[in-house]
Amino acid sequence: MKIDLKLTQIIIIVILFIFTFSNVAMAQTITGDPLPSWNEGTNKQTIINFVENVTDPENPNYVAPELRIATFDNDGTLWAEKPMYFQAAFSLSRIRELAPKFPEWKDKQPFKAVLENDQDYLANITVNELLEIAMVTHAGMSQKEFEQEAKEFLDTAKHPRFNQLYKQVIYQPMLELLTYLQNKQFKTYICSGGGLDFIRLFSEEAYDIAPENVIGSNIFKTYEIVSNHSQFIRQPQLIEPINDKAGKPVNIERFIGKKPMLAVGNSDGDIEMMQYTVIEHQPSLALLLHHDDEIREYRYTKGTEKALELAKEYNWKVISMKQDFKQVFSFTSE
């Protein structure tokens, strides 16, 4: 068979061109801005420098992939927490349904606030009160029944201000940070004071974090087989410690068994997790999200006062939503 040398040369040139172009495109993707919704500044550069250093085998601060652990709080860190915790919103209708069976609720907080629609009280509900509501309103039912109720809420309920599904009121810059870390072989975990079972229902869809990588507060369950069907029944008792404040490091050690090298939070409930991350542990980085943008989200410091003070002592990076976030949500919130 006669071979056309000129045609062969053309084919080789085309193949080389495609190969070179593909490598350039790949290099542009790799070297592109990993955090496009963050404004340029010290905090953004600190994050990028940290991640690039610990993932560069030639860097003295290099850390092997199996030790690249990052923990994120959820409420107020990955998604909004105002005007009230989203899980509390989920439980409110259930309280009203059950109220006739519990007349004492009309004089007992936080149930009194729910029944009277006391928005000022509910806006400042504590993690412990949230868990009490979740425990009382969803105990006695099967895990499957709970999941069906929660999924219906997450698929239909909308935020009262932004008119978006609650599961869409997520901070775009934090999603980018999660993706950046995941692409750099970090193992990303949620470490929240909120209910474990509730967060697991949307963590994979929302954050690309598998259910087994969620650490949260939880209640006891019993295991039963009924009519040849296995099920878990939710019991009115919390498993200690609650995953808040000093409970966070305890549960991180219990469920991960390794110290995080990056921790992200937004409140006094995250102090111990961030201390645990940075004390006697280098390289490490802790980020504290500060809600100071009343135009695009909310402005508040209540419940974060101590964390803001300790940030100076421990060199935690305070992320200003107003200054550091070019965009807050995937939708326009202004």
Side-chain angles (χ1 to χ4, degrees):
M1 181 176 66
K2 186 176 180 180
I3 299 175
D4 189 329
L5 293 178
K6 187 174 182 179
L7 179 59
T8 302
Q9 289 172 341
I10 292 173
I11 292 173
I12 291 172
I13 290 171
V14 170
I15 292 173
L16 289 173
F17 175 80
I18 293 173
F19 180 76
T20 303
F21 180 80
S22 298
N23 281 344
V24 170
M26 186 180 295
Q28 288 175 336
T29 301
I30 293 172
T31 59
D33 186 353
L35 304 173
S37 294
W38 293 67
N39 284 319
E40 299 300 327
T42 302
N43 283 332
K44 177 177 179 177
Q45 199 56 53
T46 296
I47 294 169
I48 292 175
N49 289 346
F50 175 79
V51 174
E52 295 302 317
N53 286 343
V54 300
T55 57
D56 178 6
E58 303 301 320
N59 192 288
N61 288 322
Y62 173 75
V63 175
E66 61 269 20
L67 297 177
R68 295 176 200 162
I69 308 295
T71 54
F72 285 74
D73 173 55
N74 186 55
D75 296 299
T77 299
L78 292 177
W79 70 359
E81 60 183 358
K82 298 295 183 180
M84 69 177 73
Y85 290 122
F86 296 173
Q87 190 173 357
F90 163 56
S91 300
L92 296 192
S93 60
R94 181 77 172 161
I95 288 177
R96 297 187 181 99
E97 288 176 16
L98 295 172
K101 299 179 181 179
F102 299 92
E104 67 274 14
W105 282 0
K106 68 180 186 298
D107 298 314
K108 180 183 178 183
Q109 295 291 17
F111 306 100
K112 182 175 184 288
V114 175
L115 296 173
E116 295 178 355
N117 197 29
D118 185 344
Q119 293 298 316
D120 289 337
Y121 189 97
L122 294 174
N124 297 290
I125 196 167
T126 67
V127 169
N128 282 356
E129 287 175 321
L130 166 63
L131 294 173
E132 183 180 7
I133 289 174
M135 180 176 66
V136 171
T137 57
H138 292 97
M141 63 169 54
S142 72
Q143 181 67 11
K144 185 176 181 180
E145 289 171 328
F146 169 82
E147 290 177 2
Q148 288 173 339
E149 275 197 19
K151 283 178 180 177
E152 182 178 355
F153 171 83
L154 289 165
D155 288 340
T156 58
K158 291 188 175 182
H159 191 280
R161 174 181 169 185
F162 301 119
N163 197 34
Q164 303 284 332
L165 293 176
Y166 280 109
K167 65 180 181 180
Q168 295 172 335
V169 187
I170 295 170
Y171 304 130
Q172 182 64 24
M174 288 301 179
L175 281 180
E176 292 171 1
L177 177 55
L178 279 171
T179 299
Y180 180 35
L181 294 171
Q182 290 159 357
N183 287 341
K184 290 288 189 175
Q185 295 182 280
F186 274 77
K187 296 177 183 178
T188 52
Y189 292 81
I190 292 174
C191 186
S192 172
L196 172 72
D197 296 324
F198 183 74
I199 299 170
R200 279 180 168 176
L201 291 175
F202 64 87
S203 64
E204 200 152 26
E205 174 191 352
Y207 310 129
D208 198 22
I209 293 178
E212 59 265 30
N213 281 19
V214 175
I215 303 170
S217 299
N218 203 3
I219 67 172
F220 278 98
K221 302 181 186 79
T222 56
Y223 176 71
E224 300 178 359
I225 297 178
V226 179
S227 300
N228 207 33
H229 292 284
S230 63
Q231 62 181 6
F232 293 99
I233 302 299
R234 299 167 64 85
Q235 303 299 319
Q237 182 180 355
L238 288 169
I239 296 174
E240 297 290 346
I242 293 172
N243 199 52
D244 191 44
K245 299 182 178 178
K248 287 197 172 188
V250 171
N251 286 322
I252 288 170
E253 195 279 333
R254 176 188 294 173
F255 292 105
I256 304 177
K258 296 176 182 177
K259 190 179 249 194
M261 62 183 305
L262 174 68
V264 188
N266 81 297
S267 73
D268 291 350
D270 301 309
I271 288 173
E272 286 83 354
M273 176 176 73
M274 295 191 291
Q275 288 174 323
Y276 177 55
T277 298
V278 303
I279 292 176
E280 298 179 335
H281 189 212
Q282 294 298 328
S284 61
L285 179 65
L287 307 175
L288 179 69
L289 179 59
H290 181 34
H291 296 263
D292 58 355
D293 192 333
E294 72 277 16
I295 302 299
R296 298 181 297 174
E297 204 244 8
Y298 297 95
R299 174 187 286 271
Y300 58 95
T301 56
K302 187 173 182 180
T304 314
E305 300 92 338
K306 186 177 179 182
L308 288 169
E309 281 297 316
L310 289 175
K312 303 170 187 175
E313 177 182 344
Y314 289 102
N315 195 31
W316 300 336
K317 302 306 175 188
V318 177
I319 306 299
S320 163
M321 185 171 285
K322 187 174 185 178
Q323 300 297 326
D324 290 308
F325 285 3
K326 184 183 300 183
Q327 177 182 351
V328 175
F329 302 109
S330 62
F331 55 87
T332 301
S333 59
E334 297 173 81

PDB file of all heavy atoms in Angstrom, residues 24-45:
ATOM      1  N   VAL A  24      -2.590  22.988  27.113  1.00  0.00           N
ATOM      2  CA  VAL A  24      -2.676  24.404  27.485  1.00  0.00           C
ATOM      3  C   VAL A  24      -4.009  24.679  28.165  1.00  0.00           C
ATOM      4  O   VAL A  24      -4.077  25.345  29.202  1.00  0.00           O
ATOM      5  CB  VAL A  24      -2.516  25.301  26.232  1.00  0.00           C
ATOM      6  CG1 VAL A  24      -2.852  26.747  26.586  1.00  0.00           C
ATOM      7  CG2 VAL A  24      -1.103  25.201  25.687  1.00  0.00           C
ATOM      8  N   ALA A  25      -5.094  24.117  27.571  1.00  0.00           N
ATOM      9  CA  ALA A  25      -6.420  24.314  28.162  1.00  0.00           C
ATOM     10  C   ALA A  25      -6.473  23.724  29.560  1.00  0.00           C
ATOM     11  O   ALA A  25      -7.030  24.320  30.483  1.00  0.00           O
ATOM     12  CB  ALA A  25      -7.489  23.660  27.277  1.00  0.00           C
ATOM     13  N   MET A  26      -5.868  22.523  29.713  1.00  0.00           N
ATOM     14  CA  MET A  26      -5.848  21.878  31.028  1.00  0.00           C
ATOM     15  C   MET A  26      -5.051  22.724  32.017  1.00  0.00           C
ATOM     16  O   MET A  26      -5.450  22.909  33.169  1.00  0.00           O
ATOM     17  CB  MET A  26      -5.246  20.485  30.916  1.00  0.00           C
ATOM     18  CG  MET A  26      -5.316  19.681  32.217  1.00  0.00           C
ATOM     19  SD  MET A  26      -4.599  18.025  32.029  1.00  0.00           S
ATOM     20  CE  MET A  26      -5.738  17.321  30.845  1.00  0.00           C
ATOM     21  N   ALA A  27      -3.936  23.254  31.579  1.00  0.00           N
ATOM     22  CA  ALA A  27      -3.107  24.086  32.456  1.00  0.00           C
ATOM     23  C   ALA A  27      -3.846  25.344  32.871  1.00  0.00           C
ATOM     24  O   ALA A  27      -3.774  25.785  34.020  1.00  0.00           O
ATOM     25  CB  ALA A  27      -1.805  24.452  31.737  1.00  0.00           C
ATOM     26  N   GLN A  28      -4.637  25.915  31.934  1.00  0.00           N
ATOM     27  CA  GLN A  28      -5.401  27.121  32.263  1.00  0.00           C
ATOM     28  C   GLN A  28      -6.457  26.799  33.307  1.00  0.00           C
ATOM     29  O   GLN A  28      -6.705  27.598  34.215  1.00  0.00           O
ATOM     30  CB  GLN A  28      -6.057  27.668  30.985  1.00  0.00           C
ATOM     31  CG  GLN A  28      -5.057  28.312  30.025  1.00  0.00           C
ATOM     32  CD  GLN A  28      -5.708  28.745  28.714  1.00  0.00           C
ATOM     33  OE1 GLN A  28      -6.750  28.211  28.324  1.00  0.00           O
ATOM     34  NE2 GLN A  28      -5.102  29.685  28.045  1.00  0.00           N
ATOM     35  N   THR A  29      -7.076  25.602  33.155  1.00  0.00           N
ATOM     36  CA  THR A  29      -8.082  25.197  34.136  1.00  0.00           C
ATOM     37  C   THR A  29      -7.465  25.026  35.511  1.00  0.00           C
ATOM     38  O   THR A  29      -7.994  25.474  36.525  1.00  0.00           O
ATOM     39  CB  THR A  29      -8.736  23.872  33.698  1.00  0.00           C
ATOM     40  OG1 THR A  29      -9.337  24.056  32.425  1.00  0.00           O
ATOM     41  CG2 THR A  29      -9.787  23.429  34.701  1.00  0.00           C
ATOM     42  N   ILE A  30      -6.302  24.378  35.526  1.00  0.00           N
ATOM     43  CA  ILE A  30      -5.630  24.116  36.799  1.00  0.00           C
ATOM     44  C   ILE A  30      -5.166  25.408  37.460  1.00  0.00           C
ATOM     45  O   ILE A  30      -5.258  25.593  38.660  1.00  0.00           O
ATOM     46  CB  ILE A  30      -4.441  23.157  36.583  1.00  0.00           C
ATOM     47  CG1 ILE A  30      -4.965  21.778  36.163  1.00  0.00           C
ATOM     48  CG2 ILE A  30      -3.594  23.036  37.834  1.00  0.00           C
ATOM     49  CD1 ILE A  30      -3.879  20.806  35.742  1.00  0.00           C
ATOM     50  N   THR A  31      -4.634  26.322  36.652  1.00  0.00           N
ATOM     51  CA  THR A  31      -4.074  27.552  37.220  1.00  0.00           C
ATOM     52  C   THR A  31      -5.096  28.673  37.302  1.00  0.00           C
ATOM     53  O   THR A  31      -4.762  29.777  37.702  1.00  0.00           O
ATOM     54  CB  THR A  31      -2.875  28.026  36.375  1.00  0.00           C
ATOM     55  OG1 THR A  31      -3.331  28.245  35.019  1.00  0.00           O
ATOM     56  CG2 THR A  31      -1.771  26.994  36.374  1.00  0.00           C
ATOM     57  N   GLY A  32      -6.378  28.425  36.899  1.00  0.00           N
ATOM     58  CA  GLY A  32      -7.401  29.452  36.983  1.00  0.00           C
ATOM     59  C   GLY A  32      -7.748  29.778  38.429  1.00  0.00           C
ATOM     60  O   GLY A  32      -7.343  29.090  39.353  1.00  0.00           O
ATOM     61  N   ASP A  33      -8.532  30.825  38.601  1.00  0.00           N
ATOM     62  CA  ASP A  33      -8.925  31.265  39.932  1.00  0.00           C
ATOM     63  C   ASP A  33      -9.842  30.226  40.573  1.00  0.00           C
ATOM     64  O   ASP A  33     -10.952  29.991  40.098  1.00  0.00           O
ATOM     65  CB  ASP A  33      -9.647  32.613  39.814  1.00  0.00           C
ATOM     66  CG  ASP A  33      -9.964  33.220  41.167  1.00  0.00           C
ATOM     67  OD1 ASP A  33      -9.753  32.551  42.202  1.00  0.00           O
ATOM     68  OD2 ASP A  33     -10.437  34.368  41.195  1.00  0.00           O
ATOM     69  N   PRO A  34      -9.417  29.588  41.662  1.00  0.00           N
ATOM     70  CA  PRO A  34     -10.260  28.572  42.301  1.00  0.00           C
ATOM     71  C   PRO A  34     -11.381  29.174  43.143  1.00  0.00           C
ATOM     72  O   PRO A  34     -12.306  28.459  43.533  1.00  0.00           O
ATOM     73  CB  PRO A  34      -9.273  27.801  43.176  1.00  0.00           C
ATOM     74  CG  PRO A  34      -8.240  28.820  43.540  1.00  0.00           C
ATOM     75  CD  PRO A  34      -8.116  29.725  42.346  1.00  0.00           C
ATOM     76  N   LEU A  35     -11.291  30.475  43.419  1.00  0.00           N
ATOM     77  CA  LEU A  35     -12.272  31.131  44.291  1.00  0.00           C
ATOM     78  C   LEU A  35     -12.810  32.396  43.613  1.00  0.00           C
ATOM     79  O   LEU A  35     -12.620  33.515  44.109  1.00  0.00           O
ATOM     80  CB  LEU A  35     -11.631  31.483  45.639  1.00  0.00           C
ATOM     81  CG  LEU A  35     -10.991  30.338  46.428  1.00  0.00           C
ATOM     82  CD1 LEU A  35     -10.259  30.873  47.656  1.00  0.00           C
ATOM     83  CD2 LEU A  35     -12.037  29.299  46.832  1.00  0.00           C
ATOM     84  N   PRO A  36     -13.514  32.270  42.503  1.00  0.00           N
ATOM     85  CA  PRO A  36     -13.938  33.453  41.740  1.00  0.00           C
ATOM     86  C   PRO A  36     -14.957  34.340  42.445  1.00  0.00           C
ATOM     87  O   PRO A  36     -15.084  35.518  42.101  1.00  0.00           O
ATOM     88  CB  PRO A  36     -14.532  32.847  40.454  1.00  0.00           C
ATOM     89  CG  PRO A  36     -14.902  31.448  40.818  1.00  0.00           C
ATOM     90  CD  PRO A  36     -13.876  31.012  41.822  1.00  0.00           C
ATOM     91  N   SER A  37     -15.683  33.815  43.427  1.00  0.00           N
ATOM     92  CA  SER A  37     -16.670  34.630  44.145  1.00  0.00           C
ATOM     93  C   SER A  37     -16.081  35.322  45.370  1.00  0.00           C
ATOM     94  O   SER A  37     -16.814  35.936  46.154  1.00  0.00           O
ATOM     95  CB  SER A  37     -17.876  33.777  44.555  1.00  0.00           C
ATOM     96  OG  SER A  37     -18.570  33.329  43.417  1.00  0.00           O
ATOM     97  N   TRP A  38     -14.774  35.215  45.526  1.00  0.00           N
ATOM     98  CA  TRP A  38     -14.066  35.904  46.601  1.00  0.00           C
ATOM     99  C   TRP A  38     -13.385  37.146  46.026  1.00  0.00           C
ATOM    100  O   TRP A  38     -12.785  37.082  44.947  1.00  0.00           O
ATOM    101  CB  TRP A  38     -13.003  35.009  47.226  1.00  0.00           C
ATOM    102  CG  TRP A  38     -13.534  33.832  47.981  1.00  0.00           C
ATOM    103  CD1 TRP A  38     -14.195  32.756  47.461  1.00  0.00           C
ATOM    104  CD2 TRP A  38     -13.422  33.594  49.394  1.00  0.00           C
ATOM    105  NE1 TRP A  38     -14.500  31.858  48.460  1.00  0.00           N
ATOM    106  CE2 TRP A  38     -14.038  32.340  49.657  1.00  0.00           C
ATOM    107  CE3 TRP A  38     -12.856  34.305  50.445  1.00  0.00           C
ATOM    108  CZ2 TRP A  38     -14.118  31.802  50.931  1.00  0.00           C
ATOM    109  CZ3 TRP A  38     -12.916  33.759  51.725  1.00  0.00           C
ATOM    110  CH2 TRP A  38     -13.546  32.531  51.961  1.00  0.00           C
ATOM    111  N   ASN A  39     -13.454  38.240  46.750  1.00  0.00           N
ATOM    112  CA  ASN A  39     -12.705  39.432  46.342  1.00  0.00           C
ATOM    113  C   ASN A  39     -11.220  39.221  46.582  1.00  0.00           C
ATOM    114  O   ASN A  39     -10.814  38.516  47.519  1.00  0.00           O
ATOM    115  CB  ASN A  39     -13.182  40.660  47.130  1.00  0.00           C
ATOM    116  CG  ASN A  39     -14.521  41.175  46.632  1.00  0.00           C
ATOM    117  OD1 ASN A  39     -14.760  41.229  45.420  1.00  0.00           O
ATOM    118  ND2 ASN A  39     -15.401  41.555  47.544  1.00  0.00           N
ATOM    119  N   GLU A  40     -10.416  39.837  45.725  1.00  0.00           N
ATOM    120  CA  GLU A  40      -8.975  39.770  45.927  1.00  0.00           C
ATOM    121  C   GLU A  40      -8.617  40.452  47.240  1.00  0.00           C
ATOM    122  O   GLU A  40      -9.167  41.485  47.586  1.00  0.00           O
ATOM    123  CB  GLU A  40      -8.236  40.450  44.770  1.00  0.00           C
ATOM    124  CG  GLU A  40      -8.486  39.819  43.405  1.00  0.00           C
ATOM    125  CD  GLU A  40      -8.072  38.363  43.344  1.00  0.00           C
ATOM    126  OE1 GLU A  40      -7.088  37.990  44.018  1.00  0.00           O
ATOM    127  OE2 GLU A  40      -8.740  37.592  42.627  1.00  0.00           O
ATOM    128  N   GLY A  41      -7.698  39.870  47.967  1.00  0.00           N
ATOM    129  CA  GLY A  41      -7.304  40.457  49.243  1.00  0.00           C
ATOM    130  C   GLY A  41      -6.497  39.477  50.063  1.00  0.00           C
ATOM    131  O   GLY A  41      -6.210  38.352  49.631  1.00  0.00           O
ATOM    132  N   THR A  42      -6.138  39.898  51.257  1.00  0.00           N
ATOM    133  CA  THR A  42      -5.284  39.095  52.125  1.00  0.00           C
ATOM    134  C   THR A  42      -5.892  37.738  52.457  1.00  0.00           C
ATOM    135  O   THR A  42      -5.216  36.709  52.421  1.00  0.00           O
ATOM    136  CB  THR A  42      -4.990  39.867  53.426  1.00  0.00           C
ATOM    137  OG1 THR A  42      -4.367  41.107  53.110  1.00  0.00           O
ATOM    138  CG2 THR A  42      -4.072  39.060  54.333  1.00  0.00           C
ATOM    139  N   ASN A  43      -7.191  37.713  52.791  1.00  0.00           N
ATOM    140  CA  ASN A  43      -7.806  36.452  53.210  1.00  0.00           C
ATOM    141  C   ASN A  43      -7.852  35.436  52.068  1.00  0.00           C
ATOM    142  O   ASN A  43      -7.532  34.256  52.265  1.00  0.00           O
ATOM    143  CB  ASN A  43      -9.208  36.703  53.756  1.00  0.00           C
ATOM    144  CG  ASN A  43      -9.176  37.284  55.165  1.00  0.00           C
ATOM    145  OD1 ASN A  43      -8.238  37.039  55.919  1.00  0.00           O
ATOM    146  ND2 ASN A  43     -10.181  38.048  55.522  1.00  0.00           N
ATOM    147  N   LYS A  44      -8.248  35.884  50.889  1.00  0.00           N
ATOM    148  CA  LYS A  44      -8.288  34.970  49.747  1.00  0.00           C
ATOM    149  C   LYS A  44      -6.894  34.428  49.453  1.00  0.00           C
ATOM    150  O   LYS A  44      -6.713  33.224  49.232  1.00  0.00           O
ATOM    151  CB  LYS A  44      -8.853  35.686  48.516  1.00  0.00           C
ATOM    152  CG  LYS A  44      -8.852  34.829  47.253  1.00  0.00           C
ATOM    153  CD  LYS A  44      -9.489  35.566  46.079  1.00  0.00           C
ATOM    154  CE  LYS A  44      -9.466  34.736  44.812  1.00  0.00           C
ATOM    155  NZ  LYS A  44     -10.141  35.400  43.676  1.00  0.00           N
ATOM    156  N   GLN A  45      -5.904  35.309  49.473  1.00  0.00           N
ATOM    157  CA  GLN A  45      -4.545  34.875  49.167  1.00  0.00           C
ATOM    158  C   GLN A  45      -3.987  33.955  50.240  1.00  0.00           C
ATOM    159  O   GLN A  45      -3.253  33.002  49.938  1.00  0.00           O
ATOM    160  CB  GLN A  45      -3.622  36.092  48.985  1.00  0.00           C
ATOM    161  CG  GLN A  45      -2.341  35.775  48.238  1.00  0.00           C
ATOM    162  CD  GLN A  45      -2.599  35.156  46.870  1.00  0.00           C
ATOM    163  OE1 GLN A  45      -3.340  35.714  46.057  1.00  0.00           O
ATOM    164  NE2 GLN A  45      -1.996  34.000  46.603  1.00  0.00           N
TER     165      GLN A  45
END
